Amino acid sequence: MVMQLPGVSGEWERNAGVADLARIAHTADELGFDHLTCAEHIAVPVDESGRRGLTYWDPLSTLGFLAAHTSRISLTTSVVVLGYHHPLEIAKRFGTLDRLSDGRLVLGVGVGSLAEEFELLGADFDGRGERADDAIRALRASLSTTRPVYHGSHYRYDGWAVEPCAVQPKVPIWVGGHTLRSLRRAARLADGWIPFGLTATEIKAMLSGIDTPPGFEVVLSTGHSIDPLADADRTSLRLSALHDAGATAITCSVTAESVDHYCEQLAALRELATEL
């Protein structure tokens, strides 16, 4: 519902309401799923509709709402575009979410790829990779303290109060992307990698050439929608292939014709996942 992609999202999602969203999140929470995700695009060019889709719910508002309808599941941004925000803006807004959710934030971040959106927001597109590296370092220094201090290549601050801050002593940071550089960035500066647009074979090859730190998360996506009820065998094969590629967690898109069907699919998926 919160990110409607061409060829992935069901028709019913266009007219679904917040009660449906809350029900899905609550169901996933009760079934023991690991995380809910929400992506960030502030404005998307209309001519991108066929490739990216146009519906992107705001991650802070959405995950704040879902925090009140869940109790244990992680709330994951997938991803916040670093170049659109000052690190202290992210630390304040999402640190507050971490407090409201009793420490359930996972901060997924990305460099960004939509040049038109950068231009619209007055953000620099060129050099965004180096700026993102510095922003991740700044976030690491700032998310869990009310008196952040950081002196880096692009961001420098001292003497400011940011209250409240995150309640987790170390908020997990995952880096999105589809390049070897994004994996290196994640292994060097963050706690996990959430690639997109890559095959399981490509991901496995990339991971084989990188030394990742202990506890490093590799969060892979099913990509296309899976159908646990109608095609359990193919769903199991897809989950196994991602597991074999190095996944420590899997973000799943499921085929559904209604909110009831979606929740039934989640229950079926949970059963299949326990067999891996």
Side-chain angles (χ1 to χ4, degrees), residues 187-264:
R188 187 175 72 254
L189 301 174
D191 307 294
W193 184 45
I194 37 178
F196 63 90
L198 297 170
T199 67
T201 301
E202 290 171 330
I203 290 167
K204 189 171 185 178
M206 292 168 72
L207 287 169
S208 68
I210 297 291
D211 291 327
T212 56
F216 187 79
E217 300 282 0
V218 178
V219 185
L220 305 185
S221 171
T222 56
H224 58 78
S225 294
I226 54 177
D227 194 339
L229 284 170
D231 201 341
D233 289 343
R234 182 174 294 183
T235 298
S236 294
L237 286 173
R238 180 59 177 161
L239 297 178
S240 295
L242 294 173
H243 183 268
D244 291 344
T248 60
I250 299 172
T251 300
C252 299
S253 297
V254 298
T255 298
E257 298 176 357
S258 67
V259 65
D260 290 338
H261 188 203
Y262 196 104
C263 291
E264 292 167 2

Side-chain angles (χ1 to χ4, degrees), residues 80-86 90 110-112 118 123-124 128 131-132 135 155:
V80 168
V81 181
L82 291 167
Y84 298 167
H85 312 279
H86 190 281
I90 297 174
V111 171
F118 274 81
D124 292 330
R128 66 194 185 283
R131 192 173 296 104
Y155 301 101

Side-chain angles (χ1 to χ4, degrees), residues 12 28 35-36 74-75 87 94 126 138 167 175 186 188 221 249 251:
W12 67 273
H35 61 274
L36 301 168
S74 295
L75 308 169
F94 288 95
D126 294 336
V167 296
V175 173
R188 187 175 72 254
S221 171
T251 300

Side-chain angles (χ1 to χ4, degrees), residues 5 43 48 53 67 100 157 214:
L5 299 177
E48 285 280 327
L100 288 170
Y157 44 83

Side-chain angles (χ1 to χ4, degrees), residues 9-30:
S9 299
E11 187 65 28
W12 67 273
E13 297 180 55
R14 298 188 183 190
N15 300 314
V18 293
D20 298 320
L21 181 63
R23 181 183 169 194
I24 290 169
H26 179 74
T27 299
D29 193 34
E30 290 290 301

